[in-house]
Amino acid sequence: MTFVPVIPESYSHVLAEFESLDPLLSALRLDSTRLKCTSLAVSRKWLALGTSGGGLNLIQKEGWKHRIFLSHREGAISQVACCLHDDDYVAVATSQGLVVVWELNQERRGKPERIYVSSEHKGRKITALCWDTAILRVFVGDHMGKVSAIKLNTSKQAKAAAAFVMFPVQTITTVDSCVVQLDYLDGRLLISSLTRSFLCDTEREKFWKIGNKERDGEYGACFFPGRCSAGQQPLIYCARPGSRMWEVNFDGEVISTHQFKKLLSSPPLPVITLRSEPQYDHTVGSSQSLSFPKLLHLSEHCVLTWTERGIYIFVPQNVQVLLWSEVKDIQDVAVCKNELFCLHLNGKVSRLSLLSVERCVERLLRRGLWNLAARTCCLFQNSVIASRGRKTLTIDKLEHLKSQLDLTTYGDLISQLEELILKFEPLDSACSSRRSSISSHESFSILDSGIYRVISSRRGSQSDEDSCSLHSQTLSEDERLKEFTSHQEEDQPDQCCGSQGTEVTFETDKSETFLPFSIPLSFRSPSPLVSLQAVKESVSSFVRKTTEKIGTLHTSPDLKGRPEPRGDEQSCEEDVSPVTCPKEEDTVGKEEVASQPPEEDELQELKIATAEAMTKLQDPLVLFEPKSLRLVLQEWLSHLEKTFAVEDFSGISDTDNSSMKSNQDILLLDGSRKGILDEEHEKEKRNSLHNEETVHQTAYESVNSPREPLDDDLFRVCSPCSIANDLMKDLAELTTLCLELNVLNSEIRSAGGCVDHTLQQCSPEILACHFLKKYFFLLDLKRAKESIKLSYSNSPCVWDTFIEGLKEMASSNPTYIKMEEGDLPAKLKLLDDSVPFDSPLLIAYATRLYEKFGESALRSLIRFYPSILPSDVMQLCHYHPAQFLAYLDSLVKSRPEDQRPSFLESLLQPESLRLDWLLLAVSHDAPPSTSTVDDEGNPRPHSHLFSWGYSQLILHLIKLPADFTTKEKMTDICRSHGFWPGYLILCLELERRREAFTNIVYLNDMSLMEGDNEP
């Protein structure tokens, strides 16, 4: 891992690209060579994209919904301008020199209509469009220097009666050369031509030339609004040769000239993007003598411009370069607030945000982009450690970021983060309980040498409150973690972790001196022996700890939750969710003492059985023999079933009665849940339940027993009692392992001692559903999800059961409740802000979005990759595979074009998905087979020119490396469906040249002989 360079200067801002607009362009069919984006504009509501085909796409910025398409037969769209004070109007210039003004009628929900078409500039190239800031008036400039105004008068209150009153087009002026840029503010029009800038008072019809010196070339000019609160007059900035700007007052008088040539000799700042890791070269370049083709007012104090090399942002009043970054081949830029939309020469559109460094890092943290966030922190550490940045990025957040990085992969990066955290010490150590030995009961002063002088406010022995420092420290860690992951749950500080399903997962990330037993397995390997080898390697380092645990279990019935209790410490230093055994047993009534041991014995027996199972798993003869491993798990499962068959757990922990009552098994009585199992499964289950009527009643019959008819409606997502953390982790490992190895029930004996074979009559899917419902609170949710996708890919009922459990777990979260309201963009924003990208509950939220919004929700899920994988989406839309295809196509197109093949190949796990996806792609959004294949199975003439909705995805799939047999199968698929471009490519790869030539003759297009056979 390379060392991240540190930018020496304290740059405060950075350009960041958090999401790609390539999927949007793909959905609009603007990613081909035949049709591409030629112009763009942006307002508070819309992103307007003009195309070479004469179409105008209006996309709602909130959620990126394609709302309106406006067609023009007058030629390609050369300029677009949105009315900034009324989003209901947009002006369009075409390649023929016509200007079309549209009213969108969004408030009335009517159809968009053309309200005026101007031919004043017909036959000329329109180079600039600009709206008046107060009234409905559009200014137009062309390459001959003519500037005109189209004035529209409307009263929305009386629209039905008066409609529009059109005034004739007014010619404002004709300047001496091509109009480069127009801008308007407070009754004044600013015109920038190839030679000079002009200021026009449109009401008094007065004109001023700005400055005396002419120029030659494309130089922009813009207004710089003043702050009304401060009584400032607006300013004007005009670009000059040699990286200079004129600062001009509102009367057109040049105040000063700003020179940026030497300031631009600094190296460019990297753009923070998912496409590549940020790089910085310390080499100082030569001064840049640039011409700025346009100037745009950005944010509050900045002016933006660009060249073919990059983007430049200035603070002109301070003669400061805020930043400049290399962004190649920019054709045009539109800005709104702090957002930049860049149109590139190849027709691509990118969206950048101007943010402070700390805001940028915070957004990366919320999205779970740990590597990129860490690199940004290290790169801009001079800004991060500044006092302003330190209020946002605290030590706690940086340490959490460090904990998310893999030490083996990001060792150098972690070292740099540690150095950065140390630089925070002078300000934060005084208030950090972890990095200072200063007690909360002590005051301090800082000596000139930097040493902290501690003044104790107490004398004598340590108090009870001091002894709880470790406990309070642990809770503060949890609170900081919740702050990061944007959880909005309001939990009591002393509430047990076992009562909150989501916190159990977080708790496993906390490490102490001895880690509990952990098996990081996903069991994706097709070979059981490979998976078992992973088990062996994982558990071998815990032999001594497990042995000590067994000895402790047999000698100490009053076991504490912490591995290493320390003598006289109070109970507040124990784990957050211990199995509490009251110490003052002498003061407890005889009835309570008598009622407690049976339940305690039940849990104690499970502890012993769990420790013994862990020990057995270390035996290679068990690890490498699947049958033996299953027997061990089955034996342990019988103890688990016996323990959690107890209906009353009140005697185990008297301290958690209030929380336990709210965490009992949850009834799922909604009608939608009834559709999980298909009719065959329901019939089989009813038969099994009928046969159980003669079975003797046993102690195992409880809310967890599959014999109870209500079991189908019961879900246990929270622990019915308080369980120590170390035991909880071991139970989670073994329970998840049972699910992964399909050990879903033990031999349950009836009261007469005979084996109950009832469950053995159920199908594996039914057993898996029962298992999930009973032990959901014990599962490692991430591993369980992967296991279900691997083992039950063709059994949607298991996946649906798992998702229902996640929904129940999330149902108490405020975010889940808020998702009942609002449209798709609002809900996506809510997920971005409130749900961590690495949360196992994210797929439950995604399911809710899909259930309500369908395919549009699926396409939006690409922003959550890799937290939500294509395999998750396949399960999500199991009954609608065509919708998965739309998601997959959008996901692939979200990557840069040169990275798409390798990215698609990484998604093809297992390899058999290649043929499945290919068959899916050629079967949807495709021309009918009768149009491409004749009755004899040969190509119809020119049928290779038909449009295929997923042609790019198909071509990527067939071009990926594969074995000979797979290529042959792909050839057959392409031929049978008539996808001739792909078929010819595969024929050439398989050296079937005669066959390829024969089909080219049928297609009647000899240009295919030149090898250009892609659509």
Side-chain angles (χ1 to χ4, degrees), residues 670-681:
D670 57 296
S672 61
R673 182 65 187 85
K674 301 298 183 180
I676 291 181
L677 304 175
D678 54 27
E679 294 181 0
E680 180 181 352
H681 292 160

Side-chain angles (χ1 to χ4, degrees), residues 937-977:
N938 296 318
R940 291 189 182 276
H942 304 291
S943 59
H944 63 293
L945 300 177
F946 285 133
S947 175
W948 293 68
Y950 299 103
S951 59
Q952 294 188 21
L953 179 62
I954 298 171
L955 291 173
H956 283 315
L957 285 169
I958 64 178
K959 288 181 179 180
L960 291 177
D963 57 77
F964 183 82
T965 303
T966 302
K967 289 286 185 180
E968 281 190 325
K969 293 180 180 179
M970 296 170 75
T971 306
D972 295 337
I973 292 175
C974 289
R975 180 177 180 84
S976 61
H977 288 80

